[in-house]
Amino acid sequence: MNAGSKWFDVCAEADLPPGACRAVDADGIQIAVFNVDGGYYAIENLCSHEQETLSTGELAGCEVTCPRHGARFSVITGAALCEPAEEPVATFAVRVANGVVQVGSDRIYFDE
Ligand code: FES
């Protein structure tokens, strides 16, 4: 986390079971937080194709499918896995503090 970065509460751990997703607004940044087999991952909640909300997409394993045109993204790396999306989405750090899932406000891009 960089100076000036912040952590934002998402929900209690119990409210984000495996296979679930929660959306959060972190000072204007829309973030979707997923539980994949007990691990928490966060990506920007805007499809890189035409800005659809990814938190309403279907999660299968570590991949979420955009509900508008079907692009798939890795919720771990943010990589676009199929067309029509060609650009990745940002990821964010996730932590648990006192039983509360939190996301960091810094966008993180993985090299592809
Ligand atoms: S808006 Fe997500 S695939 Fe088109």
Side-chain angles (χ1 to χ4, degrees):
M1 298 279 286
N2 297 320
S5 305
K6 290 196 268 183
W7 290 99
F8 292 85
D9 290 350
V10 179
C11 64
E13 272 190 290
D15 293 331
L16 188 56
C21 173
R22 297 292 291 246
V24 63
D25 181 322
D27 267 0
I29 304 171
Q30 304 304 315
I31 300 175
V33 187
F34 300 87
N35 182 330
V36 178
D37 295 331
Y40 299 112
Y41 302 95
I43 59 174
E44 192 140 15
N45 197 11
L46 289 174
C47 180
S48 62
H49 179 231
E50 289 184 359
Q51 311 291 291
E52 181 61 81
T53 301
L54 293 173
S55 59
T56 58
E58 184 175 334
L59 180 67
C62 63
E63 299 177 6
V64 64
T65 300
C66 177
R68 189 179 302 181
H69 306 116
R72 284 181 292 110
F73 295 89
S74 166
V75 304
I76 297 174
T77 67
L81 302 174
C82 72
E83 295 186 342
E86 297 182 350
E87 298 297 320
V89 293
T91 68
F92 299 85
V94 185
R95 72 180 185 183
V96 177
N98 297 320
V100 176
V101 180
Q102 298 180 320
V103 289
S105 59
D106 289 341
R107 287 181 175 88
I108 303 165
Y109 289 95
F110 285 77
D111 292 335
E112 293 198 85

